[in-house]
Each structure stands twice: as C-alpha cells, then as structure tokens.
Amino acid sequence: MRRRASLRTLLAACLAVHVGCYVVERGDTRVNNHVLREQNLVLEERAENSVHSLIKVTESTSTTIPAPQCVLPPGMAEEIQGYQEVVDRVIDYVTTGDFKGQVYSHLANLVDTFGPRMTGTGELEAAIDWMVEQSIAENLDNVHTEDVQVPHWVRNNESAWMTLPRLKQLHIMGLGSSVGTPPQGITADVLVVKSFDELKKQGLKAAGKIVVFNPTWESYGVTVQYRSQGASEAAKVGAVAALVVSITPFSIASPHTGQQYYSVENKIPVASVTLEDAAMMERMQARGQNITVKLIMGAKNYPDTISRNTVAEILGTHQPKETVLVSGHLDSWDVTQGAMDDGGGMMMSWAALVVMRKLNIRPRRTVRAVLWTGEEQGLHGGIEYFKRHQHDHEQFQLIMESDSGTFTPQGISFSGTPEATCIMEEVLKLFHRINATQLTNPMTGGPDIAVWEKLGVPTGGLKNDNSRYFWYHHSYGDSLIVEDPDVLDRCLALWTSVAFVLADIRERLPHQQDLNHLEAGSG
C-alpha cells in the first residue's frame, strides 16, 4: 500500500511540475502558481482512480549547456567518434540516398488516408492497425499493441453568432471535454476580461453572462491556463458559458482547440474564439457597447473506450533487455490532420527503426519505437506505459520523444546526470554535417516521457527551429503543408543516428538515483 501511495504521489507531482510546465515557446519559464495548484488537485484525484489527464504544454525554454568539465571514461571519446562513418552513412541514405523523402511519403499516406485521429474514433484505430501492418511489412521485431483506456469526447455541430451590437458569425472551436449547450443554445450578454484577477473583481457582473477571456499572449506555458481552467473559473462567478481566446501568438481568423479540465460541479460550455474576434469584443466593451452572443454546442462526453499504444523494435545483439526508446503520438485532435502535432515526430520515430533495418545496422541494445495514443486528451498512452513498465526503468538507456515539431533540426534537448550530459555532448559532435550539434537542458518536446525523469531515466527531445509551432497547433492549419520533406529527412537522420549510437556504445548512461528508493519501499 505504501508503494502504491508513493506511485500515485509520484505521478501527480511529476506530471504537474514536469509536464504541466512544459513549453515550446522560447524565453519564458514562468508558470502561473494557480495553474499548478489546480493541476495538482486534478492529478491527485485522477491518480487515485488511475485515470490521468493533463494539459500538454509544449514549450522549449531550454538553455544551451555551457561546456562542462567533462571527463569521459577512458577511450570513450574515441569510441563515440568512431561512429562517424555509421552516422554519415545514415545521413547520406536518408537525405540523398534511397530513403530520401520516404518519411514524408509515409506521413502523407497516413494523414491523407485517415485524416484526424481523435481518441474514440474508428479513424484512430484504423491508423493504429495500419502502422502495425507497415511495421510487420518492414520486418520490424516484436510488433504489438498495448491497450490504453482513453476518453471519448465528440464535438458535433457548433456555432456562435454575435447578435449585438451587430450580426456577425464568430469562429469557434469547442474545447476538449466541454459539455454542450441546450439544443436551442445559450443566448447571453458578454463580459470580456483579461485575467482571472479581473474576473474576480468583475464577479458580480459575470453572473448570467458569457465570459470571454482575452489575455495578452506571454507564452504557451503562461497563457494556456485560460484554456485549461477558464470554464471552471467563469462558472464559479455564475457565468453560463465561456469563450477563450485561442492559445497562439498569430492568427488568420483561425480558432485553436485543446483540452480543458473542470474543477467544479457546475460545468458550463466552453469554446475557443479567434484572436480577431476576442480583440473586437474587447474594443466594443471598452466603448460601452452591449454585446450579445448566441452559442450552440452539441458536444458530448461518452464513457471511456479502449485504444492502443503501438510498439515495434530492432532487437539488440548483445544486451537486448536494455533499451533506447524513441516515440511520438499517433492521435490528433478532430479538426486537424495532425501532420505536425504529432505526425512528423511519430513517423520519424517509427522510420528510425526502418532505416536501421534497411541499412542492416543492429545495435547492441534494443531500439524500441512507441507510438502513443490518447496524448491530446491527457497523456493517457504515456501514463499507461509508465504504469506497466516503470519496474524496468533501470533497463532504459535513454527515452526520447519528438512532440514539438519537426522543423530544422538543431540538436537534442536532454535531461540527465552531468556524466550522461557529457556523453550526449560528445555524441552530438557527430552531426556537424547537418548543423545539429546543439545540446540544451532540460529535455523539451516530450510530455509523454517526462514522468520517467522521476525514476532517474535520461530523456531526450528533438531540438528544432519551432518558432512557428503555435501558429498551427491544434488548428485546421496543422496539415501536411507545414512539413518540409528535406527538413524532415534531416530530422530523421539525427534521430536515427542518436538512437543507434546510444544503443550501441559500451557505456551505460548513468541514471539519477535519488528516487530509486521507491522500488525498495514495497511491502
């Protein structure tokens, strides 16, 4: 019992702090304390019931690691540099050889054939079946799936019209897990606020109104609190619905969806609204004009259903029980192809194994690809995998995930011991040809894997030039046109080679040992 309680506490604390604060926007590591408190409460409850959800915040506020005083084990620098020929072979094969453009072609086939891959849909399950078939066709090892319980939320028809001070259609997207409106909709006056503090000050005015949150964009990690908790905060002051400005710094009248979490019994409908419409309503309110909106949302929450993580491997030659894991999530929101979030990262992780197989390079340790399910609604695939396999944490050499875009690769973001960091720094010297030698700390772009850091496992993410990531994130704009085939090839070359080298070197990456007492706490 003590061990179970420790695991529940670990999951809640780790996910709230390591994932809830996890951002792809650069230069701002602040996270609102209110959000962390709310997330901790939500996560503790869900950990108790083994049903976990958490906002995926993907921000890259990592910093370049200053040159450490590295003292590698004798001969290790020479061993690592000895992989230059293999790395160059992978780079040539993927960027100019027979595999050029193949990862893009596979991604195009996926998004064109199956479209959006929302949990609870046949499209997601068919896409999973297809990835299994492709894995078997490529002669990958130990191909299988692992069941995951996931939410089933359906958007259905939705619309919003401003009827005063003039008639105008508002572009909206319901937020994940939102309740719907009555069939006739909700018609109410609007109160626009910039922050939760302003909402509290204006609380008496909010009763019976539709609250519109129009905060100033600071970063994804700061601003996403209005999406995740806006409906609950508005409900506390008597609002009948909420509209939240899309969590993006740029818009062409494009709403962006995402997950939200109720922390109140009185659940009210909530949707995102475009930057343009939110700013317009704020200006109208400042002029003293009354604003009325009619909101119709057919959203429904159904009982949880079963989806699957997809697993494939290249078995190691000498230490097959030790593993380098590469990953990305296969699911997407219902309004997007999910080519960027996270089709590119997912397909790249799968293709890394295919490249190794085709080049007949088999490392001493196993390389495993896991294609997560249920990431968008709360990291369900990642959490279930952790629950099933956390006892094997000492067998993981490195766990990597790419979920912050596959734009121009720059290197690897990394979390690990100083000794492991020195090893990774030496490995990245192999990628001067494609200008991808940067090592940053901490790991970013891996919301499904951050939980493993609490057990001391080194983690890595793809560092890439993703400054426009949130322009397309969770919107209709996340389509294949965002991906560049040549850039995706360079990302794949880096990802494949890092996984291979770390799986093949003789030295084991040191693990943090500070929380390994959890294993000894059973009984």
Side-chain angles (χ1 to χ4, degrees), residues 39-346:
Q39 287 175 358
N40 273 307
L41 291 173
V42 170
L43 284 166
E44 286 169 8
E45 177 184 355
R46 290 178 180 175
E48 183 67 32
N49 295 307
S50 298
V51 179
H52 302 269
S53 272
L54 182 64
I55 49 175
K56 182 192 83 177
V57 192
T58 38
E59 147 186 72
S60 123
T61 49
S62 54
T63 56
T64 300
I65 298 174
Q69 298 300 313
C70 289
V71 180
L72 293 173
M76 186 160 199
E78 293 78 8
E79 179 191 0
I80 291 173
Q81 291 310 309
Y83 284 98
Q84 188 68 67
E85 182 179 345
V86 176
V87 169
D88 287 344
R89 185 181 171 201
V90 171
I91 292 173
D92 290 341
Y93 180 64
V94 170
T95 62
T96 61
D98 290 345
F99 209 77
K100 177 178 174 58
Q102 289 301 302
V103 65
Y104 181 89
S105 178
H106 281 292
L107 178 59
N109 201 353
L110 173 78
V111 300
D112 291 345
T113 301
F114 303 103
R117 303 171 300 282
M118 182 80 161
T119 56
T121 66
E123 288 77 11
L124 173 59
E125 298 311 306
I128 292 170
D129 290 339
W130 184 75
M131 290 305 302
V132 168
E133 292 168 2
Q134 297 299 305
S135 300
I136 294 171
E138 295 292 351
N139 197 30
L140 301 182
D141 300 321
N142 194 24
V143 177
H144 67 280
T145 61
E146 298 179 4
D147 287 354
V148 180
Q149 183 172 293
V150 295
H152 184 194
W153 177 79
V154 179
R155 178 181 307 280
N156 293 315
N157 293 329
E158 55 188 16
S159 66
W161 286 85
M162 183 178 71
T163 57
L164 285 176
R166 65 180 176 89
L167 185 65
K168 182 188 184 302
Q169 185 175 12
L170 305 178
H171 300 287
I172 66 163
M173 280 186 183
L175 298 181
S177 81
S178 175
V179 297
T181 65
Q184 70 274 18
I186 293 173
T187 301
D189 291 343
V190 163
L191 173 67
V192 183
V193 296
K194 301 288 288 183
S195 67
F196 289 140
D197 287 341
E198 183 180 350
L199 176 64
K200 291 176 182 177
K201 292 175 183 176
Q202 302 276 358
L204 293 177
K205 295 182 180 179
K209 290 188 170 66
I210 296 174
V211 170
V212 174
F213 291 97
N214 188 33
T216 301
W217 169 270
E218 296 184 55
S219 72
Y220 193 84
V222 172
T223 314
V224 76
Q225 62 183 302
Y226 296 97
R227 188 189 78 200
S228 63
Q229 286 295 317
S232 294
E233 293 301 310
K236 290 176 184 177
V237 292
V240 294
L243 296 174
V244 181
V245 69
S246 293
I247 311 302
T248 177
F250 176 78
S251 176
I252 48 172
S254 51
H256 296 236
T257 191
Q259 190 70 2
Q260 67 87 39
Y261 303 91
Y262 290 116
S263 59
V264 295
E265 292 297 323
N266 177 31
K267 299 177 181 180
I268 62 174
V270 58
S272 66
V273 66
T274 65
L275 272 63
E276 293 88 344
D277 286 342
M280 175 193 67
M281 287 187 280
E282 182 179 335
R283 294 192 301 270
M284 289 175 169
Q285 179 174 281
R287 297 187 193 108
Q289 295 175 290
N290 291 328
I291 308 166
T292 302
V293 165
K294 181 174 183 178
L295 176 67
I296 298 177
M297 292 176 59
K300 288 187 177 181
N301 288 282
Y302 293 93
D304 288 353
T305 187
I306 297 298
S307 186
R308 296 161 289 163
N309 288 330
T310 308
V311 182
E313 295 178 337
I314 296 289
L315 286 175
T317 56
H318 291 75
Q319 295 150 265
K321 291 185 178 180
E322 295 185 14
T323 303
V324 168
L325 188 151
V326 293
S327 65
H329 68 86
L330 181 52
D331 67 301
S332 74
W333 280 101
D334 58 326
V335 294
T336 168
Q337 285 187 345
M340 178 194 75
D341 182 19
D342 179 33
M346 178 278 301

